[in-house]
Amino acid sequence: EAARSSDDLERLREAMGRLGLVHAPRPRRGAAPARPKEAPARVRRHTSPDGDEGFPGTLTAEVRYALTGDTLDARFRATTDRTTPVNLTQHTYFNLGRNVRPDGALDHELRIHAARFTPVDARLIPTGELRPVRGTPFDFTTPTRVGLRIDQDDEQLRHGGGYDHNWVVDRGGPGLVPAARLRDPANG
């Protein structure tokens, strides 16, 4: 849909031209419980006012996390009062350990079924290259402690401040395939 006015279009061009906007501001509100008759869930909402980060329109975004059996389901919803780009995603990090500490997840063992990853530039924008993981800190093709190589002198680790990248999952054909496995060796 086209912008509603030349003012909208100009603001949109300015915002998109910066290309550095990867992460929106963190929501300032806590998680609210979902309705009582639904699966255990939490809802997070954030409202970004018109002009925030240079984008037109007031944007209200919501994510609902629900636990059903052993599946964590995340559902996104957004509304806006003006034409504006919206691309909601998540990259939540989980600490599977019982002893919660800031660096606890670095002891987890991770296996990613991916022989390639997507390098990023200094603004965390993917370059379009699909780079082999072999011989790099991004090689998790066998179970490897997450923190083992995170402090190596590597341009991609510096860009991301650690691992803030995409891996290209290996596929042998259509359908679902394993993407990754994360385990806490202390808890099994």
Side-chain angles (χ1 to χ4, degrees):
E1 181 179 335
R4 292 185 187 167
S5 71
S6 60
D7 180 51
D8 284 354
L9 185 56
E10 184 56 34
R11 289 172 66 192
L12 180 60
R13 284 184 182 145
E14 288 173 13
M16 297 303 287
R18 289 191 314 249
L19 289 179
L21 183 65
V22 175
H23 299 101
R26 296 194 190 281
R28 293 175 189 89
R29 296 184 54 185
R35 290 181 213 103
K37 292 184 180 181
E38 296 177 354
R42 290 288 182 259
V43 177
R44 298 222 28 153
R45 288 183 189 88
H46 175 72
T47 300
S48 177
D50 182 31
D52 190 25
E53 296 287 343
F55 288 96
T58 299
L59 172 74
T60 301
E62 173 181 300
V63 61
R64 180 182 183 276
Y65 295 100
L67 186 60
T68 307
D70 62 354
T71 301
L72 178 64
D73 183 48
R75 300 202 180 206
F76 298 88
R77 181 172 182 255
T79 58
T80 184
D81 58 3
R82 292 171 78 184
T83 301
T84 193
V86 178
N87 185 10
L88 303 176
T89 188
Q90 74 168 34
H91 46 119
T92 306
Y93 299 95
F94 295 96
N95 181 345
L96 303 178
R98 292 182 184 159
N99 181 9
V100 180
R101 60 185 202 280
D103 63 346
L106 295 178
D107 291 330
H108 293 4
E109 287 181 355
L110 177 63
R111 177 171 183 217
I112 302 176
H113 299 269
R116 299 172 298 167
F117 76 104
T118 57
V120 296
D121 65 19
R123 297 172 298 179
L124 296 179
I125 305 298
T127 64
E129 177 187 356
L130 302 179
R131 186 176 295 174
V133 298
R134 184 175 300 200
T136 75
F138 295 85
D139 189 351
F140 289 95
T141 54
T142 60
T144 304
R145 193 172 62 80
V146 172
L148 181 67
R149 299 180 294 244
I150 200 166
D151 292 324
Q152 285 187 3
D153 184 21
D154 179 88
E155 178 184 53
Q156 287 299 305
L157 289 174
R158 285 192 302 277
H159 285 337
Y163 298 113
D164 195 357
H165 296 72
N166 304 299
W167 278 259
V168 181
V169 175
D170 298 331
R171 300 189 57 82
L176 297 175
V177 297
R181 178 184 168 105
L182 180 69
R183 69 180 284 276
D184 177 17
N187 290 324

